[in-house]
Amino acid sequence: MSSPPAKARKILVAVAWPYASGLRHIGHVAGFGVPSDTFARYHRLRGNDVLMVSGTDEHGTPVMVAADAAGESPRETADRFSALIREDLRDLGLSYDLFTRTTTRTHYRVTQDLFRTLYEKGYVLERETLGAFSASTGHTLPDRYIEGTCPICGFADARGDQCDNCGNQLDPTDLIEPRSKIDGTAPVFKETKHLFLDLPAFKEQLTAWIEGNEGWRQNVRRFSLNFVRELKPRPITRDLDWGVPIPVAGYEELFDKRIYVWFDAVIGYLSASVEWAQNRGTPDAWREWWQNPEAEHTYFMGKDNIVFHTVIWPSMLLGYGSGGEYGAGRGDLELPDNVASSEFLTMEGKKFSSSRGVQILVRDFLSRYDPDALRYFLTIAGPETQDTDFTWAEFVRRNNDELVATWGNLVNRTLSSAHRNFGEVPTPGPLTDEDEALLADVAAAFESVGRLIEGTRFRSALQEAMRIAALANAYLAEQAPWTKLETERERAGTILFVALRVVDSLKILLLPFLPFSGQRLHELLGYDDVVAGPLDVETVDEDGVAHDVLTGRYDSWSGRWEPSALPPGQALRAPAPLFTKLDPGEVVADELERMEAAAR
């Protein structure tokens, strides 16, 4: 008797929210985008219930600064960039269940409920503080828009909230020679009244929780433990007129104070889940992830956002518990199980900088190169656990020597020979030890690659899949079925049958990383269904107000995380290259010229 199928796991994939203040570059999607999608696609193939949520972060100073520069209102700027970012993420194949916005009515309601509940429970303190304001515009300057020298370690580019070099928590007034990141002027400090989250109240719980998560990436765990040693109350309101109104007495009537953008942005993971459930007509479905102790929560971001996901957001969740309108006494909101933070990606040895022209916008890249080529590079050579450098020469080398020469070559030589000589998947004769060994290696890779993806070790997982592709290339070279077509046709067909099964299995092993070429290969192998289909932009009506979201119909996708069962006799379609070989000299020269022109 066969064993019953494993129970589907509830997997929350919580993806950092990109600011709707400008277009995103490839350094951004190296942190929050490609890793999260790889993880989500894998779990869908495993048959697990995935909820992948995020959206554009539209409040606070970043959007206001961009709006001032464009002569627009913050709403107009947010609308414009939200649409453009949504297009870029769709074209890169990021398979969100819901990619929404922080300007929705649902987000306002959820944010205000959490804020109000924390306030009523005594976790929000009122304090007089020195607020930082821009000398040129008079607008408030959030801590992250102020830089200066760290008074503790002397790091010259410490931020107004923390020093990335030594990890200590700071206030803007602590910095030596503070300056605005926007225009370089010294900030003006004024007395102002604000509300603070009482982080020290959660110190013991946070410390025990972080220490217990031994499976986290070490950079995340070390940074977080260092941060919680000396917690201070954190301001969660700002002197702004663009953001979520503050829902407590004495503040709700003020037009020039709003909830701090970083407080409302992390709540977006919850509010987007609530909105997703509402859009499906199942308004309580989000609780299966958020109030279910068996659900698994993994967060994806760049390393500059670690503290918000390992200290501040967990404190908010601990304080809220099962209270408020959304907790409804039905169970505590679940904490993150894993925080998969990537390091930084530089470009040709320089830090990405929009103002200095040191960037490669996602949409510009995709206008010239295949999305799977970018996804491959950011996984195999990206900043998973350490800062790494993007160079055009290395991008071309990886594309040509690995994607084209290893995986693309295996697919092309296998399908070309089988299609030309059989037109279908050949019926095999007896399998040799070599045939069986290769099929066993491929079958075992579903366990090894899957285990690495689950551990967010994406580079190692992709390397393991490519190792199998190299084994298959060696098998084909050794068995040389094209030399046996005249004298040993059955054996030639058997070799090609094995190779086609291996290609079909590798298609699935690589699908989380390379969905676009995976779907094309699926069709070349004679299938008519979808393993990685297009994503959808849909218009949602929310209390009579419409907004667009990115989503997909993933239940209709057919792929499963298991070895191929490609049937003999299935008709094959005429093969076509999966990847484009690039001219090294031409690409490098053209792209470096573009980079120099942008910097001028």
Side-chain angles (χ1 to χ4, degrees), residues 46-64:
R46 288 297 301 262
N48 292 324
D49 294 331
V50 173
L51 179 54
M52 177 171 166
V53 292
S54 187
T56 43
D57 184 358
E58 303 185 6
H59 294 130
T61 298
V63 174
M64 295 177 70

PDB file of all heavy atoms in Angstrom, residues 46-64:
ATOM      1  N   ARG A  46       6.689  21.660  -4.865  1.00  0.00           N
ATOM      2  CA  ARG A  46       6.574  20.618  -3.839  1.00  0.00           C
ATOM      3  C   ARG A  46       5.124  20.383  -3.413  1.00  0.00           C
ATOM      4  O   ARG A  46       4.846  19.495  -2.628  1.00  0.00           O
ATOM      5  CB  ARG A  46       7.389  21.013  -2.598  1.00  0.00           C
ATOM      6  CG  ARG A  46       8.885  20.944  -2.761  1.00  0.00           C
ATOM      7  CD  ARG A  46       9.377  19.522  -3.032  1.00  0.00           C
ATOM      8  NE  ARG A  46       9.027  18.586  -2.000  1.00  0.00           N
ATOM      9  CZ  ARG A  46       9.833  18.216  -1.022  1.00  0.00           C
ATOM     10  NH1 ARG A  46      11.052  18.734  -0.936  1.00  0.00           N
ATOM     11  NH2 ARG A  46       9.454  17.333  -0.133  1.00  0.00           N
ATOM     12  N   GLY A  47       4.203  21.199  -3.908  1.00  0.00           N
ATOM     13  CA  GLY A  47       2.804  21.056  -3.544  1.00  0.00           C
ATOM     14  C   GLY A  47       2.422  21.769  -2.273  1.00  0.00           C
ATOM     15  O   GLY A  47       1.335  21.543  -1.721  1.00  0.00           O
ATOM     16  N   ASN A  48       3.310  22.649  -1.774  1.00  0.00           N
ATOM     17  CA  ASN A  48       3.002  23.390  -0.554  1.00  0.00           C
ATOM     18  C   ASN A  48       2.146  24.619  -0.860  1.00  0.00           C
ATOM     19  O   ASN A  48       2.099  25.096  -1.993  1.00  0.00           O
ATOM     20  CB  ASN A  48       4.300  23.811   0.144  1.00  0.00           C
ATOM     21  CG  ASN A  48       5.054  22.619   0.684  1.00  0.00           C
ATOM     22  OD1 ASN A  48       4.445  21.649   1.147  1.00  0.00           O
ATOM     23  ND2 ASN A  48       6.376  22.657   0.620  1.00  0.00           N
ATOM     24  N   ASP A  49       1.451  25.110   0.155  1.00  0.00           N
ATOM     25  CA  ASP A  49       0.576  26.274   0.023  1.00  0.00           C
ATOM     26  C   ASP A  49       1.399  27.539   0.273  1.00  0.00           C
ATOM     27  O   ASP A  49       1.716  27.877   1.412  1.00  0.00           O
ATOM     28  CB  ASP A  49      -0.583  26.201   1.022  1.00  0.00           C
ATOM     29  CG  ASP A  49      -1.516  25.040   0.732  1.00  0.00           C
ATOM     30  OD1 ASP A  49      -1.616  24.649  -0.451  1.00  0.00           O
ATOM     31  OD2 ASP A  49      -2.138  24.529   1.675  1.00  0.00           O
ATOM     32  N   VAL A  50       1.755  28.211  -0.817  1.00  0.00           N
ATOM     33  CA  VAL A  50       2.625  29.378  -0.740  1.00  0.00           C
ATOM     34  C   VAL A  50       1.791  30.651  -0.754  1.00  0.00           C
ATOM     35  O   VAL A  50       0.835  30.779  -1.515  1.00  0.00           O
ATOM     36  CB  VAL A  50       3.614  29.389  -1.923  1.00  0.00           C
ATOM     37  CG1 VAL A  50       4.425  30.682  -1.956  1.00  0.00           C
ATOM     38  CG2 VAL A  50       4.545  28.182  -1.838  1.00  0.00           C
ATOM     39  N   LEU A  51       2.181  31.601   0.102  1.00  0.00           N
ATOM     40  CA  LEU A  51       1.618  32.939   0.065  1.00  0.00           C
ATOM     41  C   LEU A  51       2.805  33.904  -0.001  1.00  0.00           C
ATOM     42  O   LEU A  51       3.498  34.136   0.989  1.00  0.00           O
ATOM     43  CB  LEU A  51       0.758  33.210   1.299  1.00  0.00           C
ATOM     44  CG  LEU A  51       0.110  34.608   1.388  1.00  0.00           C
ATOM     45  CD1 LEU A  51      -0.704  34.915   0.141  1.00  0.00           C
ATOM     46  CD2 LEU A  51      -0.751  34.725   2.644  1.00  0.00           C
ATOM     47  N   MET A  52       3.064  34.436  -1.191  1.00  0.00           N
ATOM     48  CA  MET A  52       4.184  35.349  -1.418  1.00  0.00           C
ATOM     49  C   MET A  52       3.628  36.751  -1.601  1.00  0.00           C
ATOM     50  O   MET A  52       2.874  37.019  -2.536  1.00  0.00           O
ATOM     51  CB  MET A  52       4.979  34.918  -2.655  1.00  0.00           C
ATOM     52  CG  MET A  52       6.127  35.844  -3.021  1.00  0.00           C
ATOM     53  SD  MET A  52       7.146  35.090  -4.329  1.00  0.00           S
ATOM     54  CE  MET A  52       8.116  36.490  -4.861  1.00  0.00           C
ATOM     55  N   VAL A  53       3.989  37.656  -0.668  1.00  0.00           N
ATOM     56  CA  VAL A  53       3.368  38.976  -0.647  1.00  0.00           C
ATOM     57  C   VAL A  53       4.403  40.085  -0.537  1.00  0.00           C
ATOM     58  O   VAL A  53       5.469  39.929   0.066  1.00  0.00           O
ATOM     59  CB  VAL A  53       2.363  39.110   0.521  1.00  0.00           C
ATOM     60  CG1 VAL A  53       1.153  38.214   0.313  1.00  0.00           C
ATOM     61  CG2 VAL A  53       3.043  38.806   1.857  1.00  0.00           C
ATOM     62  N   SER A  54       4.043  41.222  -1.092  1.00  0.00           N
ATOM     63  CA  SER A  54       4.829  42.441  -0.965  1.00  0.00           C
ATOM     64  C   SER A  54       4.078  43.540  -1.713  1.00  0.00           C
ATOM     65  O   SER A  54       2.899  43.399  -2.009  1.00  0.00           O
ATOM     66  CB  SER A  54       6.242  42.256  -1.525  1.00  0.00           C
ATOM     67  OG  SER A  54       7.043  43.390  -1.257  1.00  0.00           O
ATOM     68  N   GLY A  55       4.775  44.617  -2.019  1.00  0.00           N
ATOM     69  CA  GLY A  55       4.181  45.728  -2.755  1.00  0.00           C
ATOM     70  C   GLY A  55       5.122  46.905  -2.750  1.00  0.00           C
ATOM     71  O   GLY A  55       6.254  46.829  -2.246  1.00  0.00           O
ATOM     72  N   THR A  56       4.673  48.005  -3.302  1.00  0.00           N
ATOM     73  CA  THR A  56       5.496  49.206  -3.297  1.00  0.00           C
ATOM     74  C   THR A  56       5.278  49.985  -2.003  1.00  0.00           C
ATOM     75  O   THR A  56       4.156  50.157  -1.544  1.00  0.00           O
ATOM     76  CB  THR A  56       5.188  50.102  -4.503  1.00  0.00           C
ATOM     77  OG1 THR A  56       3.776  50.176  -4.721  1.00  0.00           O
ATOM     78  CG2 THR A  56       5.848  49.564  -5.753  1.00  0.00           C
ATOM     79  N   ASP A  57       6.387  50.454  -1.433  1.00  0.00           N
ATOM     80  CA  ASP A  57       6.419  51.232  -0.194  1.00  0.00           C
ATOM     81  C   ASP A  57       6.308  52.704  -0.601  1.00  0.00           C
ATOM     82  O   ASP A  57       7.232  53.244  -1.208  1.00  0.00           O
ATOM     83  CB  ASP A  57       7.739  50.939   0.514  1.00  0.00           C
ATOM     84  CG  ASP A  57       7.856  51.613   1.864  1.00  0.00           C
ATOM     85  OD1 ASP A  57       6.921  52.342   2.245  1.00  0.00           O
ATOM     86  OD2 ASP A  57       8.888  51.419   2.530  1.00  0.00           O
ATOM     87  N   GLU A  58       5.198  53.342  -0.266  1.00  0.00           N
ATOM     88  CA  GLU A  58       4.865  54.608  -0.916  1.00  0.00           C
ATOM     89  C   GLU A  58       4.810  55.819   0.000  1.00  0.00           C
ATOM     90  O   GLU A  58       4.486  56.918  -0.456  1.00  0.00           O
ATOM     91  CB  GLU A  58       3.535  54.443  -1.660  1.00  0.00           C
ATOM     92  CG  GLU A  58       3.596  53.301  -2.664  1.00  0.00           C
ATOM     93  CD  GLU A  58       2.364  53.155  -3.525  1.00  0.00           C
ATOM     94  OE1 GLU A  58       1.462  54.013  -3.443  1.00  0.00           O
ATOM     95  OE2 GLU A  58       2.298  52.187  -4.293  1.00  0.00           O
ATOM     96  N   HIS A  59       5.124  55.647   1.264  1.00  0.00           N
ATOM     97  CA  HIS A  59       5.048  56.778   2.190  1.00  0.00           C
ATOM     98  C   HIS A  59       6.441  57.311   2.534  1.00  0.00           C
ATOM     99  O   HIS A  59       7.449  56.748   2.141  1.00  0.00           O
ATOM    100  CB  HIS A  59       4.312  56.369   3.470  1.00  0.00           C
ATOM    101  CG  HIS A  59       2.879  56.042   3.243  1.00  0.00           C
ATOM    102  ND1 HIS A  59       2.302  54.874   3.705  1.00  0.00           N
ATOM    103  CD2 HIS A  59       1.914  56.700   2.568  1.00  0.00           C
ATOM    104  CE1 HIS A  59       1.020  54.848   3.349  1.00  0.00           C
ATOM    105  NE2 HIS A  59       0.764  55.944   2.653  1.00  0.00           N
ATOM    106  N   GLY A  60       6.462  58.386   3.299  1.00  0.00           N
ATOM    107  CA  GLY A  60       7.709  58.877   3.859  1.00  0.00           C
ATOM    108  C   GLY A  60       8.534  59.733   2.919  1.00  0.00           C
ATOM    109  O   GLY A  60       8.148  60.069   1.802  1.00  0.00           O
ATOM    110  N   THR A  61       9.726  60.063   3.400  1.00  0.00           N
ATOM    111  CA  THR A  61      10.609  60.997   2.719  1.00  0.00           C
ATOM    112  C   THR A  61      11.069  60.549   1.342  1.00  0.00           C
ATOM    113  O   THR A  61      11.169  61.378   0.434  1.00  0.00           O
ATOM    114  CB  THR A  61      11.820  61.306   3.616  1.00  0.00           C
ATOM    115  OG1 THR A  61      11.359  61.922   4.814  1.00  0.00           O
ATOM    116  CG2 THR A  61      12.798  62.238   2.926  1.00  0.00           C
ATOM    117  N   PRO A  62      11.416  59.267   1.109  1.00  0.00           N
ATOM    118  CA  PRO A  62      11.895  58.894  -0.224  1.00  0.00           C
ATOM    119  C   PRO A  62      10.947  59.315  -1.341  1.00  0.00           C
ATOM    120  O   PRO A  62      11.386  59.848  -2.366  1.00  0.00           O
ATOM    121  CB  PRO A  62      12.020  57.371  -0.136  1.00  0.00           C
ATOM    122  CG  PRO A  62      12.266  57.102   1.316  1.00  0.00           C
ATOM    123  CD  PRO A  62      11.445  58.122   2.040  1.00  0.00           C
ATOM    124  N   VAL A  63       9.661  59.071  -1.157  1.00  0.00           N
ATOM    125  CA  VAL A  63       8.688  59.445  -2.184  1.00  0.00           C
ATOM    126  C   VAL A  63       8.532  60.961  -2.241  1.00  0.00           C
ATOM    127  O   VAL A  63       8.407  61.543  -3.328  1.00  0.00           O
ATOM    128  CB  VAL A  63       7.341  58.741  -1.929  1.00  0.00           C
ATOM    129  CG1 VAL A  63       6.278  59.232  -2.890  1.00  0.00           C
ATOM    130  CG2 VAL A  63       7.504  57.226  -2.055  1.00  0.00           C
ATOM    131  N   MET A  64       8.556  61.631  -1.090  1.00  0.00           N
ATOM    132  CA  MET A  64       8.423  63.084  -1.074  1.00  0.00           C
ATOM    133  C   MET A  64       9.587  63.760  -1.786  1.00  0.00           C
ATOM    134  O   MET A  64       9.403  64.739  -2.528  1.00  0.00           O
ATOM    135  CB  MET A  64       8.312  63.582   0.367  1.00  0.00           C
ATOM    136  CG  MET A  64       7.054  63.120   1.082  1.00  0.00           C
ATOM    137  SD  MET A  64       6.984  63.649   2.807  1.00  0.00           S
ATOM    138  CE  MET A  64       6.722  65.409   2.613  1.00  0.00           C
TER     139      MET A  64
END
